[in-house]
Amino acid sequence: MSSPLASASPFTPAASSWVNRFAQLGPAFFTEMQASGVPSPEWLAHSPACATTLGWPEDWWVSNPEAVEVLSGKVLWPGMQPLATVYSGHQFGVWAGQLGDGRALLLGELNTPSGPMEIQLKGAGQTPYSRMGDGRAVLRSTIRELLCSEALHHLGVPTTRALCATHSPLPVRRERAERAAVLTRVAPSFIRFGHFEHFAHHGLHAELRQLLDFVLAQHFPACQSAPQPALALLGEVTRRTARLMAHWQALGFCHGVMNTDNMSILGLTIDYGPFGFLDGFDPHHICNHSDERGRYAFERQAQVAWWNLHALAQALVPVIGAGLGDEADVEAIQAELAPFAAEFEAEFLRLMRARLGLAVAQDDDKTLVDDWLRLLARHHTDYPIASRRLCHFSTAAGADWSPIRDLFIDRDAFDAWGGRYAARLEQEDSVDAERQARMCAVVPKYVLRNHLAQQAIEQAERGDMSEVQRLLKVLSRPYDEQPDAEADASFPPDWARHLEVSCSS
């Protein structure tokens, strides 16, 4: 049973720093409870960048010997008020009923230089919403989320963060017995589409209104003065989600479980289960081997997000006007959802122009981008490496294009596209050195490929956590040349093609 610590160390968040606003909503929204913790916890890894976001020293944990027990769920710092929230949702397009934080506990909120931040433990034990699960997380899934959430942050993608992780000899059974781990997650809010779906589905319209008012006041204050605040919220979430999808697509990031309970109301990447960055560019890529029908394939991510937004809209109907029976309300809802496609396409094209070093927008840029992606797809060319090598493309007469050209089986096909690309660059008087510097600042050399995560996991399972921390450091500088980490930017080994990631990963 968790218990508060009597005193705080120098860098321990003081009791006065915890605000716990979600706890003020009342028992219909959560179950207040204690974490069950894990035995003999030890540190797995820390994110200095995330600590800085909280206003903490990078080595905050060094002078806090009790922190490993606090952030593994064994004891509490003063001011913490742990609770598990309830939500519902659609999973793989099917209504799944009541869900909730089955293995996560919200410890509360901290006032930080970046604004209030919720601190959550993932893997701290069973809750009333565990649905026959054990409430635990294992080493491999914890390492993957720790690394990827921080990697996406440094790539400029909206995401939940990972402050640190602990591990324990406690055995947890998934496909096999594995070591337990607990991840400390950070975000302005962990509220999902599914929170709204829960109260709408069960006809709890007063609670739905209460949740809406809370989200508006805390996270979307500009929407409060709109004639229909719920509609204004829907429009803002639509735009944020569209931009998030554009970021994923431009980076080649694939989220394997885009259920409505895994969609953030703030437009953050949330709930890292099965995920992956593309190696060979394949629009049909499915990163979750449990996704037998390919609902969440890479090329379908924007379409699925659009579907999920409609589910959110349906949940908001009881707090919009007179209800769905009013034709004007239907039209108003559709008007707020309508900008999704244009917002996604505009943001994706903006990101891809930057990745191609195009400083001036022209009407035929979309065709150039689309043809580049088709070329990559036809040859299953390595997306991160091809994108980075293109940063060094030259328009000079007789320039050697072989470093990028040799990635394609059909060199003539690349030459044809490369000629068009060179002509397009010349139209805007692009200077090679200046353009190359711009491109290298937005096209990462380092991304979290599956084989890199797997190597870190296997080393950690042998008791050596150093590779996790090393890789976390490399991924915090994704655009920089890092001579000591060249191997992390090379082609994946052959065995990586056989890696499979599931919902327990």
Side-chain angles (χ1 to χ4, degrees):
M1 178 70 70
S2 301
S3 59
L5 293 170
S7 61
S9 299
F11 301 121
T12 300
S16 59
S17 298
W18 294 88
V19 287
N20 300 318
R21 292 174 302 175
F22 194 91
Q24 298 169 13
L25 286 172
F29 296 84
F30 58 82
T31 299
E32 192 168 356
M33 59 179 300
Q34 302 295 324
S36 55
V38 293
S40 305
E42 297 181 20
W43 289 119
L44 170 55
H46 308 82
S47 168
C50 188
T52 300
T53 297
L54 298 178
W56 295 5
E58 291 187 355
D59 62 349
W60 58 273
W61 52 278
V62 174
S63 59
N64 282 266
E66 79 282 1
V68 68
E69 295 201 336
V70 173
L71 298 179
S72 61
K74 295 192 72 175
V75 293
L76 299 174
W77 277 322
M80 286 181 169
Q81 189 175 348
L83 54 88
T85 72
V86 61
Y87 50 81
S88 297
H90 288 83
Q91 298 189 332
F92 290 90
V94 177
W95 180 250
Q98 179 177 298
L99 303 167
D101 292 327
R103 55 175 175 168
L105 277 182
L106 176 63
L107 298 179
E109 278 180 295
L110 278 175
N111 286 315
T112 79
S114 305
M117 290 286 174
E118 293 184 351
I119 311 297
Q120 186 187 76
L121 295 184
K122 183 176 181 178
Q126 284 185 321
T127 77
Y129 315 114
S130 296
R131 296 199 305 168
M132 301 180 65
D134 57 21
R136 298 296 182 185
V138 296
L139 200 64
R140 60 189 165 114
S141 62
T142 300
I143 289 172
R144 284 174 58 82
E145 179 162 356
L146 171 78
L147 291 174
C148 197
S149 56
E150 288 301 285
L152 282 189
H153 167 74
H154 291 291
L155 289 167
V157 181
T159 179
T160 59
R161 302 289 301 277
L163 174 65
C164 61
T166 63
H167 67 103
S168 164
L170 177 72
V172 176
R173 178 157 293 280
R174 293 296 181 261
E175 286 88 351
R176 54 186 171 85
E178 304 181 54
R179 290 179 67 88
V182 180
L183 180 70
T184 301
R185 303 201 292 189
V186 176
S189 175
F190 287 93
I191 294 177
R192 305 122 188 283
F193 291 11
H195 280 93
F196 290 88
E197 287 187 286
H198 175 77
F199 296 106
H201 180 81
H202 293 285
L204 301 172
H205 295 168
E207 289 80 2
L208 178 63
R209 169 62 69 179
Q210 188 181 356
L211 178 63
L212 171 67
D213 291 343
F214 174 83
V215 169
L216 290 170
Q218 306 302 333
H219 304 291
F220 298 91
C223 295
Q224 288 181 294
S225 58
Q228 281 277 9
L231 282 173
L233 171 68
L234 179 61
E236 179 60 23
V237 175
T238 294
R239 289 185 287 273
R240 290 191 186 196
T241 304
R243 293 193 293 269
L244 178 66
M245 295 303 106
H247 275 274
W248 288 3
Q249 295 296 113
L251 275 171
F253 174 77
C254 195
H255 190 299
V257 195
M258 290 178 62
N259 298 329
T260 59
D261 57 295
N262 293 340
M263 297 292 292
S264 161
I265 199 70
L266 299 185
L268 307 176
T269 309
I270 194 170
D271 284 354
Y272 293 81
F275 66 81
F277 287 87
L278 298 180
D279 292 330
F281 190 81
D282 178 10
H284 310 303
H285 177 69
I286 302 168
C287 66
N288 178 3
H289 80 79
S290 304
D291 185 9
E292 297 177 354
R293 297 185 178 181
R295 177 179 177 82
Y296 301 136
F298 176 71
E299 65 183 347
R300 295 182 178 176
Q301 292 188 130
Q303 178 183 349
V304 169
W306 171 242
W307 191 97
N308 289 342
L309 284 162
H310 280 77
L312 174 63
Q314 181 69 38
L316 290 173
V317 163
V319 289
I320 295 175
L324 192 60
D326 189 324
E327 185 175 340
D329 291 336
V330 175
E331 292 176 355
I333 290 170
Q334 291 173 341
E336 296 298 339
L337 293 169
F340 179 88
E343 189 79 26
F344 169 79
E345 291 174 4
E347 181 68 1
F348 180 71
L349 188 54
R350 183 190 71 80
L351 293 168
M352 293 304 297
R353 277 196 181 105
R355 289 173 68 91
L356 295 183
L358 306 179
V360 180
Q362 293 189 12
D363 291 341
D364 61 350
D365 289 346
K366 184 178 186 303
T367 300
L368 186 70
V369 168
D370 288 346
D371 289 346
W372 167 240
L373 297 177
R374 289 191 188 98
L375 184 65
L376 291 167
R378 188 175 356 135
H379 295 80
H380 276 208
T381 308
D382 189 279
Y383 188 57
I385 290 177
S387 300
R388 186 73 177 193
R389 288 191 185 180
L390 191 65
C391 295
H392 303 287
F393 184 91
S394 174
T395 59
D400 180 14
W401 292 351
S402 59
I404 177 69
R405 182 178 187 265
D406 289 348
L407 294 175
F408 298 86
I409 297 173
D410 184 350
R411 269 71 164 182
D412 291 340
F414 175 79
D415 290 342
W417 184 86
R420 292 167 52 204
Y421 179 48
R424 170 66 180 81
L425 294 173
E426 289 169 356
Q427 287 176 10
E428 61 180 53
D429 299 321
S430 181
V431 178
D432 281 353
E434 295 175 359
R435 182 189 69 257
Q436 290 166 1
R438 291 199 314 272
M439 292 173 70
C440 286
V442 297
V443 177
K445 182 168 184 176
Y446 300 95
V447 297
L448 182 62
R449 295 180 186 259
N450 270 339
H451 74 278
L452 298 178
Q454 185 63 28
Q455 289 168 340
I457 290 166
E458 291 178 1
Q459 191 164 319
E461 289 178 334
R462 295 193 295 269
D464 182 358
M465 310 298 161
S466 63
E467 179 63 8
V468 178
Q469 196 68 49
R470 185 200 72 81
L471 196 52
L472 193 63
K473 184 177 180 180
V474 170
L475 294 169
S476 72
R477 298 167 50 207
Y479 306 108
D480 296 348
E481 294 292 337
Q482 302 182 51
D484 294 340
E486 281 296 316
D488 298 322
S490 62
F491 291 98
D494 288 342
W495 57 263
R497 290 180 297 176
H498 305 294
L499 287 175
E500 292 187 334
V501 186
S502 68
C503 291
S504 64
S505 299

